[in-house]
Amino acid sequence: MRAAVVGGGVAGAALAWRLRTAGADVTVYAPGAADASGASGGLVRGFEVDGGAARDAAESLAELRADDLVRDWAGYRETGSVYVTADDVTPSVAAVEAVLPGSASVVDGAELARRFGFRDLPADAAGVVERHAGHFSPDRFREHALRWLAGHGGDVRTERVAEVLPGPAVRTSAGVTAFDAVVVAAGAWTPRLVGGEPLRAKQIQYGLYRLPIPCAASFVDDRTGLYGRPDRDGAFLLGMGCDRWDVDPDGVTPDHDLAARVLDTARRRFGVAGGEVVADRVVASFDCYRSPGGLRLVDAGGGVSTFTGGSGGAAKTVLAASRRAAAELVAS
Ligand SMILES: Cc1cc2nc3c(=O)[nH]c(=O)nc-3n(C[C@H](O)[C@H](O)[C@H](O)COP(=O)(O)OP(=O)(O)OC[C@H]3O[C@@H](n4cnc5c(N)ncnc54)[C@H](O)[C@@H]3O)c2cc1C
């Protein structure tokens, strides 16, 4: 099978690596622009409120922890994680426990305050605490995967794909090349290359803050939308959802009002005063969304598929999702 993967972010690189491992002839088009994988915070945990997403995230995390090669490529660091929510967590905790036994436990608001420093939580808030969770570098992972591919018979090209054609084929400055399968894994640029699917590019942003947050784990607080993790030198990486939709991935600018709201929300949630954004450390990037979200192969017709995030959190599911997508393609 001759497969082309358009895009060398973490999704495209992981899929190309899986396809080559499965014996396919793979060409990946990876022009190397600033992308979501280069900006990503790389938080990984097993728990997601949605049960299907929890299964993919937990399977990915289990592979990340168990496979020495993948762990090294990814630069994985285990810090633990806490997810604050008032939703029913039972099915998703069971999905995590099936793959990572002994990792996840459910705690109440009092324990969230005592162990992690959360303040003013609603009465119905509970937390899912995971021992086996942390963060990795999607950028480092894709660099290693592409290097592996180049050294193992894959064709890693730096041309930008100008057009994806049914057949399927791709057109670049070097001409038109036909393949058995073409997968567009171009993140927020995917809607430009493939019409028909309801894909949208959305801004994602986080900042580095100096704020004395008494929480040693990565966290998500779905009551406020605040998420974060400790970074180096006592700084905290913090973010909240951004409402800038249909952004141009080549022209994203920081949303400074959002950066200020994040600081204010973190002060209130952890009952701490003061703090500031570390100078020049607001990272504004983007990702590809669809509803329902989730990184998976979607048939776009004519032998072309897309493989893109759909949720703003594909780093945590990419290992399981790329394994499934490669198996689907090879079997087709
Ligand atoms: C700021 C930020 C923080 C995040 N934090 C987390 C987190 O903590 N945990 C988590 O799980 N997820 C997180 N995410 C989400 C996750 O990082 C992304 O879902 C993931 O990196 C998307 O990877 P991708 O390969 O789909 O897209 P990208 O990384 O954007 O890669 C797309 C690639 O396609 C290439 N391309 C585009 N057009 C063409 C073309 N015409 N021809 C050839 N190539 C092309 C681009 O050059 C690019 O390299 C975060 C994202 C951002 C932006």
Side-chain angles (χ1 to χ4, degrees):
M1 176 201 220
R2 293 183 65 233
V5 178
V6 181
V10 72
L15 179 60
W17 163 59
R18 299 282 199 203
L19 284 168
R20 184 72 196 125
T21 306
D25 273 342
V26 181
T27 299
V28 58
Y29 294 91
D35 59 13
S37 301
S40 182
L43 300 183
V44 285
R45 58 180 178 270
F47 179 79
E48 293 289 315
V49 172
D50 175 79
R55 183 199 59 172
D56 279 358
E59 281 180 15
S60 287
L61 183 52
E63 181 175 353
L64 185 57
R65 296 186 73 252
D67 186 320
D68 287 344
L69 176 81
V70 171
R71 194 183 169 112
D72 176 46
W73 284 5
Y76 174 61
R77 293 189 185 189
E78 194 150 287
T79 57
S81 157
V82 55
Y83 194 113
V84 180
T85 179
D87 289 326
D88 177 16
V89 300
T90 314
S92 293
V93 168
V96 177
E97 280 297 290
V99 186
L100 294 160
S103 180
S105 55
V106 182
V107 301
D108 63 12
E111 197 163 343
L112 286 171
R114 187 176 59 75
R115 283 176 58 189
F116 303 102
F118 288 99
R119 296 284 175 269
D120 292 333
L121 289 171
D124 58 353
V128 177
V129 178
E130 289 174 80
R131 283 200 301 138
H132 302 317
H135 56 95
F136 79 106
S137 166
D139 195 27
R140 181 184 152 104
F141 177 87
R142 69 82 179 271
E143 290 297 335
H144 277 280
L146 292 176
R147 211 176 302 148
W148 180 95
L149 196 63
H152 289 78
D155 189 7
V156 181
R157 310 188 72 90
T158 53
E159 297 124 84
R160 214 171 172 79
V161 168
E163 200 178 0
V164 174
L165 304 161
V170 301
R171 187 166 62 75
T172 67
S173 53
V176 173
T177 313
F179 294 91
D180 299 319
V182 171
V183 181
V184 182
W189 291 272
T190 305
R192 291 185 187 171
L193 289 165
V194 186
E197 245 203 285
L199 296 169
R200 296 178 75 185
K202 185 187 180 194
Q203 183 157 336
I204 303 184
Q205 168 174 319
Y206 63 75
L208 273 191
Y209 295 77
R210 292 211 186 284
L211 199 63
I213 294 179
C215 178
S218 303
F219 73 87
V220 176
D221 168 23
D222 83 356
R223 316 307 13 235
T224 58
L226 186 71
Y227 60 85
R229 68 165 163 84
D231 204 76
R232 286 183 215 115
D233 305 327
F236 234 89
L237 183 159
L238 294 169
M240 276 167 67
C242 184
D243 57 9
R244 291 186 180 175
W245 284 92
D246 303 315
V247 293
D248 172 1
D250 297 310
V252 168
T253 55
D255 179 341
H256 293 291
D257 290 344
L258 175 61
R261 274 202 310 281
V262 167
L263 181 59
D264 192 45
T265 305
R267 280 181 187 139
R268 280 186 282 112
R269 191 44 108 209
F270 290 97
V272 292
E276 58 180 6
V277 186
V278 177
D280 298 330
R281 286 318 308 270
V282 173
V283 174
S285 186
F286 41 75
D287 205 0
C288 191
Y289 281 69
R290 85 154 75 72
S291 181
L295 181 59
R296 62 181 184 276
L297 208 59
V298 175
D299 185 2
V304 178
S305 316
T306 59
F307 185 62
T308 183
S311 67
K316 67 177 78 64
T317 55
V318 70
L319 289 172
S322 60
R323 181 184 293 282
R324 264 191 267 285
E328 267 180 61
L329 283 165
V330 169
S332 65

